[in-house]
Amino acid sequence: MSKPSLTHLCLIVVAAGTVASAQDLDKAKLDQARSVIAEAALLETAAARGRVTQTYAQALRDTLREDLQKLARSPQFAATAHAALTALDRHDAAALAGLRDRLVARERSHGRAD
Amino acid sequence: MAGLIEIVLGIMTAVGGFVDVSELTFAAQAGSRFGYSLLWVFALATVGIIVFGEMSGRVAAIAKQPVFCLMRQRLGVSLGLFTLIASIVVSLITCAAEIGGVAIVLKLMAGGAYLIWAALSVAALIVIVWVLPFEWIERLFGLLGLLMLAFAAATVALHPPWREVARGLVPQFPMHLPGGDRLAYGYFAVAITSAVLFPYETYFYSSGAIEDRWTPSKLPVNRLTTGVGFSLGSLLSMGILISAAVLFRPVHVDPREPATVALQVAVPFGRPGLLIALFGMLMAFSGAAVETCLAAAYSLAQFFGWPWGRYRKPAETPRFTLAWIAGFVIALALVLTNVPPLDLVEWSIVFSIVVLPLTYLPLLLIANDRKYMGRYVNGWVANGLGVAFYAIVVVAAVGAIPLYILTSGGQK
């Protein structure tokens, strides 16, 4: 087997860096998806208990909807984001909490420490 | 009696004006992500702002010199100019972040479009700064900002585990966390230090002392305002962190927006609590927007020796007046580019800490100079604390940008 050339070594380093940054990106996206959906669940719970005004709830829903629509563009999170959007439109806190818990489990499998 | 009222008003104004959009969001994120373990950073940084705040007020009262005059004298024109440009950029980014926060709160209170609220709020702030005397600008936002105490009440109502909270006040570094989370912890520690020690606070505070024509007789007011006012303000920030650890951490919410943080008050106190908290946030962020914008104009005018001050009529200080109006317009332009407000908050936090060593060095030197300060020169306590906190600020400044890049702004 021939000795690896400098070009080979550079390619290996670049590939490793790309894989690492892709993993970081996935983890950051996963964190973001979990937090947005958790926020939506908390909002819908508070709204159902009459703890927030309608204007506040609507404004926060709009922001969360935008965040979820951005997430839906990523193939990895499209299904979850669409499910969360549907639950948000139905003000379904339980469904949102279920989606959040699934993402938390995924994060834990990726080594998240609580 | 008048003296007592002045002291109480000064303290209340300092408390009401302590929390801004950066402290609110970083305190809430820190609590949600790391529980109570970053409380000690708040406590430590608060001692730092008390030390440097007191020093800047004392130097203003005795040497009659605001921070930027000192900077030009002590750092020389080149380094002084670099600091001036960096400080103005940081102040304007911070001002934009505050305006973004104001617009978000108005949208949460009344509906409508974020960008329209941003434009309307800047117009309103320009009118307020133009019309009101300096003292009233400070008191209007500072006193109404006291409605933020709803967050402190919410902390008590959420029944945090006080023993664990107390443990968070002990300096610690979570070695048990994975490497990425340890870096994020470091990033949050630096960000909290920066949010508490924002450079605009000393520019504004020392310029305000000159606006109010402080003399040595005001030194006790200075000591109480910084000591008591900043401590109580910091307790409020710590309350936001504690509430986030109680409310957001168990349900895995990383509150990246002021809108979410308001839920801390809504959950225990319902709609009335939510409205009080939102109004308090509106006043606190508006006050910080005014302070940052005026701080940028003060810096510019003091560096170039232009006539400045809100105690003078705008026609007597044309370049200063133009500078603060331009500051608001530039900050608004930044908001109108639709940059997410949290990005603005992060940039302002990171770049502020980089500017801090250059802000505090001349202050420390003058406060130690008997030629300027006479018998009001730094004692050994102020000096020891000043040097120790200066070292902390330098370490934080060196680490800020690498930590920001390595953690993608604490998100990794």
Side-chain angles (χ1 to χ4, degrees):
Chain A
M1 201 173 140
S2 63
K3 273 167 68 178
S5 67
L6 188 63
T7 317
H8 281 117
L9 280 175
C10 288
L11 282 172
I12 290 165
V13 170
V14 169
T18 312
V19 170
S21 59
Q23 280 172 347
D24 286 344
L25 189 70
D26 287 351
K27 188 178 174 295
K29 271 241 166 89
L30 185 56
D31 281 355
Q32 196 193 344
R34 181 258 307 150
S35 181
V36 171
I37 292 172
E39 225 172 302
L42 184 61
L43 170 68
E44 292 306 342
T45 308
R49 291 180 186 160
R51 312 304 282 171
V52 295
T53 62
Q54 279 188 0
T55 314
Y56 171 90
Q58 203 46 52
L60 192 49
R61 276 186 200 117
D62 290 347
T63 309
L64 293 169
R65 198 170 287 120
E66 277 173 31
D67 291 343
L68 288 169
Q69 279 162 352
K70 276 183 209 156
L71 271 173
R73 283 182 220 141
S74 156
Q76 275 179 298
F77 297 100
T80 311
H82 284 301
L85 279 165
T86 309
L88 186 64
D89 288 339
R90 289 185 190 152
H91 311 315
D92 188 343
L96 288 163
L99 287 167
R100 174 201 67 201
D101 292 342
R102 253 188 275 165
L103 290 174
V104 171
R106 246 169 96 179
E107 277 185 301
R108 287 199 175 122
S109 70
H110 282 70
R112 177 192 153 103
D114 290 289
Chain B
M1 188 64 188
L4 184 67
I5 291 172
E6 192 186 356
I7 287 171
V8 172
L9 278 176
I11 291 171
M12 287 166 72
T13 308
V15 177
F18 195 84
V19 178
D20 72 339
V21 70
S22 317
E23 270 190 63
L24 183 98
T25 46
F26 271 92
Q29 282 191 57
S32 153
R33 186 123 185 228
F34 299 104
Y36 311 105
S37 67
L38 278 159
L39 277 174
W40 68 274
V41 181
F42 262 111
L44 189 70
T46 303
V47 180
I49 189 66
I50 291 171
V51 169
F52 283 107
E54 189 279 332
M55 227 181 270
S56 70
R58 180 157 39 93
V59 168
I62 307 300
K64 310 287 178 203
Q65 300 267 26
V67 173
F68 256 91
C69 289
L70 306 176
M71 217 169 265
R72 187 177 163 150
Q73 287 168 20
R74 288 291 166 140
L75 298 180
V77 174
S78 304
L79 195 52
L81 193 62
F82 170 79
T83 314
L84 174 74
I85 293 167
S87 303
I88 289 176
V89 169
V90 167
S91 291
L92 293 182
I93 294 174
T94 313
C95 184
E98 306 295 346
I99 290 167
V102 169
I104 288 173
V105 174
L106 286 168
K107 188 181 164 190
L108 293 169
M109 291 172 90
Y114 165 74
L115 294 180
I116 290 174
W117 279 125
L120 288 176
S121 54
V122 165
L125 290 176
I126 290 176
V127 171
I128 288 170
V129 177
W130 184 281
V131 170
L132 290 183
F134 180 82
E135 200 178 29
W136 279 102
I137 295 171
E138 253 189 326
R139 286 184 184 168
L140 171 74
F141 295 114
L143 296 179
L144 289 174
L146 283 172
L147 291 172
M148 290 286 284
L149 288 173
F151 282 93
T155 306
V156 177
L158 287 168
H159 303 295
W162 291 110
R163 199 169 287 192
E164 272 184 59
V165 170
R167 272 202 287 270
L169 289 167
V170 179
Q172 56 197 280
F173 191 81
M175 293 306 288
H176 62 281
L177 292 178
D181 285 344
R182 282 206 296 259
L183 280 177
Y185 184 91
Y187 172 73
F188 273 92
V190 167
I192 290 170
T193 307
S194 177
V196 175
L197 288 160
F198 256 140
Y200 81 82
E201 286 170 4
T202 39
Y203 307 151
F204 186 77
Y205 188 73
S206 68
S207 301
I210 290 176
E211 290 260 22
D212 288 338
R213 298 185 186 119
W214 277 13
T215 57
S217 68
K218 296 282 183 188
L219 290 182
V221 177
N222 177 41
R223 218 165 281 154
L224 283 167
T225 304
T226 51
V228 181
F230 290 173
S231 299
L232 293 176
S234 180
L235 280 179
L236 178 55
S237 304
M238 290 193 220
I240 293 166
L241 184 152
I242 295 166
S243 295
V246 174
L247 187 68
F248 297 140
R249 190 168 162 76
V251 292
H252 310 281
V253 171
D254 288 339
R256 287 173 56 83
E257 289 247 5
T260 317
V261 186
L263 283 170
Q264 288 187 354
V265 185
V267 169
F269 299 133
R271 289 175 188 172
L274 174 68
L275 289 174
I276 291 171
L278 289 175
F279 195 70
M281 282 159 73
L282 179 66
M283 289 297 117
F285 300 166
S286 300
V290 168
E291 287 183 15
T292 47
C293 193
L294 281 179
Y298 283 139
S299 310
L300 199 64
Q302 289 162 10
F303 189 85
F304 290 110
W306 302 341
W308 61 274
R310 286 292 301 113
Y311 63 93
R312 294 169 161 146
K313 287 183 181 145
E316 294 169 21
T317 56
R319 282 177 288 196
F320 167 72
T321 305
L322 197 63
W324 67 255
I325 293 173
F328 273 125
V329 173
I330 293 167
L332 175 63
L334 205 51
V335 174
L336 294 180
T337 58
N338 234 343
V339 183
L342 191 82
D343 288 356
L344 292 171
V345 168
E346 281 176 352
W347 298 344
S348 75
I349 286 279
V350 171
F351 292 110
S352 286
I353 194 91
V354 175
V355 177
L356 268 180
L358 293 169
T359 303
Y360 286 157
L361 181 64
L363 192 58
L364 198 55
L365 293 174
I366 292 278
N368 266 304
D369 193 331
R370 200 168 284 276
K371 212 166 57 192
Y372 283 91
M373 299 299 291
R375 67 190 178 94
Y376 299 102
V377 72
N378 267 359
W380 66 270
V381 176
N383 228 2
L385 287 171
V387 171
F389 276 99
Y390 190 75
I392 291 171
V393 161
V394 170
V395 170
V398 170
I401 292 180
L403 282 170
Y404 176 75
I405 294 168
L406 285 171
T407 65
S408 301
Q411 296 313 303
K412 280 184 189 167

